[in-house]
Amino acid sequence: MTYVVHTGDTLVQILQAQGMPTPLIYSKYLNIFLELNPGIQNGNMLRAGQEVILPVMKQARTAQTPGETALPEPASPGNAQKQSVARPAISGSVQTRPVIAPAPAPVEPPIATQAEVPNAVTDTASNRDNATSPANATQAETKEKRTPRSGLPFIKTVLEQMRFRFVPGDESMFPLPNSGWLHVKMGETPLVETPWGEKVLFCSVPKNAEWIANANKLGMRICSISPHWSLQEILDKLASSFPSHFRLWGAGRELVISRGGISLTLQSPQMSITEHGGKKYIHLIWARQTPDEAALPQGLPEVLEPALVKIIELDHYNELSRLPARPRDSIYVPVATHMDLIRAINPGNPEELFGQTLPDNLSSLLQLLRSKNLLHPNMIQASWSGGSQSRIAVQVPAWTISGSASRIALLDKRFADAYLVSVLAHEGYTCFILPD
């Protein structure tokens, strides 16, 4: 239903006035509100006189006068004065006025899914108080079934991570070169600025030839898509519309790149390569399938960043999921000394390995290990697999020491990156940096 914001209104108060239990407001309905109002980026910044679309809970509807909409009984007289129905969103519809419905018998409000956004709701203040009690709030949270994020809000989340910019607003008018205007409804036909500077309109609603011709006059590329807002379809349309700037890497194929001596192997069902400003940027979508699937380690995005690789990590609800990286200066990067290595090797029989006296410097220790064939040049690897056909592997040249209980790696000084050392340690390596 539509609603006109009054002075002093807050989004939570408005939703509470519709009879929604407070736990459901915070767990579900704030997100649904933002999906229904794509032009509003922050629900805490509503302005008086603004027309918004409210989600309402599905309830048994009471008898109504034809052409009128039943609204919930307000929780207080103050709320009753503020609540109203604004001009209908569909042109030509008859304006409705609020009618206070008779209070039904107390019932527990059902849990609405994202698809259930009906036109009216009836509830009583007693039901709302009962629903927000600790016992019923816990019961409501238990019964609630959270569904994965989808549709246009999910598309915006992913494309914005790829440096696409959605032009804000509900509707916009663009002047045409000669005369007239191009009217664009952003909710159904979002206007997007690409990272390489072009504009594209995603049309999930058919447009007439004149409208398309006018959009082309303004340099806007039309991408017709189905109303389901499938991410794969959007990516395919971008690849076919802008082949010189955007392409997809085939699912099931590994992409191997090398930057600064570090080799990266990337694989994902949805991976793109965007080219602009003379550089190629790789975006890899890493979607976890279950709540138990482990997240990628902290520091890995920072390791891939110099190679212009960005991971778009999603949890099983299709929400962005990434722990903040530890500050670089908080990660200890040890420089190898002979005593540190001896303690790390920790042989079962020190006299058999080192003799009667321990090496007194790093050079003599490394020479001893090499003479006993325990020091080898290698490519150490840390890899992660997830979901279907998703894999990331980082390979780094290093010296490794065999015959030790731990996996010891000696890295050249050019690999003395705190995040790289942290990621390798997460995979079980004890890393030391070789001094000059």
Side-chain angles (χ1 to χ4, degrees), residues 182 203 207-217 220 222 224:
L182 176 68
C203 293
K207 302 293 183 181
N208 59 47
E210 181 183 3
W211 191 93
I212 294 176
N214 288 335
N216 290 333
K217 290 178 184 178
M220 300 177 184
I222 306 296
S224 297

Side-chain angles (χ1 to χ4, degrees), residues 206-285:
K207 302 293 183 181
N208 59 47
E210 181 183 3
W211 191 93
I212 294 176
N214 288 335
N216 290 333
K217 290 178 184 178
L218 297 175
M220 300 177 184
R221 186 76 62 90
I222 306 296
C223 282
S224 297
I225 60 171
S226 66
H228 302 295
W229 290 100
S230 161
L231 176 60
Q232 188 60 53
E233 182 185 13
I234 295 289
L235 298 179
D236 289 337
K237 287 288 185 179
L238 289 171
S240 60
S241 301
F242 306 99
S244 60
H245 293 286
F246 189 90
R247 63 191 181 100
L248 299 178
W249 192 260
R253 295 174 56 200
E254 289 187 345
L255 175 61
V256 181
I257 57 177
S258 180
R259 294 289 189 276
I262 299 177
S263 177
L264 305 175
T265 303
L266 310 172
Q267 185 179 4
S268 170
Q270 293 171 321
M271 184 162 52
S272 66
I273 302 175
T274 307
E275 187 170 356
H276 55 91
K279 296 181 179 180
K280 293 181 179 180
Y281 299 87
I282 300 170
H283 291 91
L284 179 149
I285 298 177

Side-chain angles (χ1 to χ4, degrees), residues 110-324:
I111 308 302
T113 65
Q114 291 187 1
E116 294 175 337
V117 187
N119 294 324
V121 58
T122 57
D123 194 6
T124 62
S126 61
N127 283 338
R128 292 193 294 274
D129 295 338
N130 187 41
T132 54
S133 66
N136 286 339
T138 303
Q139 185 178 10
E141 291 175 349
T142 303
K143 288 186 176 182
E144 181 187 6
K145 293 182 179 179
R146 186 178 173 190
T147 57
R149 191 174 177 86
S150 61
L152 179 56
F154 173 58
I155 298 297
K156 290 179 65 175
T157 296
V158 174
L159 290 189
E160 285 173 350
Q161 292 295 306
M162 295 182 177
R163 302 188 182 185
F164 288 80
R165 176 182 174 272
F166 282 74
V167 177
D170 297 326
E171 298 184 7
S172 293
M173 301 287 289
F174 298 92
L176 296 170
N178 296 327
S179 63
W181 298 80
L182 176 68
H183 181 204
V184 179
K185 295 182 178 180
M186 300 297 189
E188 65 182 31
T189 313
L191 176 60
V192 182
E193 295 179 357
T194 67
W196 52 91
E198 296 190 64
K199 292 182 174 64
V200 57
L201 283 161
F202 291 121
C203 293
S204 60
V205 177
K207 302 293 183 181
N208 59 47
E210 181 183 3
W211 191 93
I212 294 176
N214 288 335
N216 290 333
K217 290 178 184 178
L218 297 175
M220 300 177 184
R221 186 76 62 90
I222 306 296
C223 282
S224 297
I225 60 171
S226 66
H228 302 295
W229 290 100
S230 161
L231 176 60
Q232 188 60 53
E233 182 185 13
I234 295 289
L235 298 179
D236 289 337
K237 287 288 185 179
L238 289 171
S240 60
S241 301
F242 306 99
S244 60
H245 293 286
F246 189 90
R247 63 191 181 100
L248 299 178
W249 192 260
R253 295 174 56 200
E254 289 187 345
L255 175 61
V256 181
I257 57 177
S258 180
R259 294 289 189 276
I262 299 177
S263 177
L264 305 175
T265 303
L266 310 172
Q267 185 179 4
S268 170
Q270 293 171 321
M271 184 162 52
S272 66
I273 302 175
T274 307
E275 187 170 356
H276 55 91
K279 296 181 179 180
K280 293 181 179 180
Y281 299 87
I282 300 170
H283 291 91
L284 179 149
I285 298 177
W286 186 274
R288 303 206 296 272
Q289 304 298 312
T290 66
D292 299 328
E293 188 174 332
L296 293 172
Q298 290 177 305
L300 181 59
E302 286 72 21
V303 171
L304 303 184
E305 195 173 273
L308 304 182
V309 175
K310 180 171 184 175
I311 306 171
I312 304 174
E313 188 174 0
L314 305 169
D315 63 16
H316 65 292
Y317 291 119
N318 284 340
E319 299 280 0
L320 287 176
S321 172
R322 181 193 166 193
L323 292 173

Side-chain angles (χ1 to χ4, degrees), residues 87-96:
R87 180 180 68 256
I90 302 177
S91 176
S93 298
V94 179
Q95 183 173 351
T96 59

Side-chain angles (χ1 to χ4, degrees), residues 304-365:
L304 303 184
E305 195 173 273
L308 304 182
V309 175
K310 180 171 184 175
I311 306 171
I312 304 174
E313 188 174 0
L314 305 169
D315 63 16
H316 65 292
Y317 291 119
N318 284 340
E319 299 280 0
L320 287 176
S321 172
R322 181 193 166 193
L323 292 173
R326 294 168 58 191
R328 185 181 298 272
D329 55 7
S330 70
I331 303 174
Y332 176 60
V333 181
V335 177
T337 67
H338 67 292
M339 289 307 300
D340 286 337
L341 282 184
I342 290 173
R343 282 190 288 267
I345 295 171
N346 191 23
N349 189 340
E351 291 185 358
E352 181 181 348
L353 177 60
F354 300 119
Q356 295 297 320
T357 59
L358 294 175
D360 58 358
N361 57 61
L362 180 63
S363 178
S364 60
L365 173 60

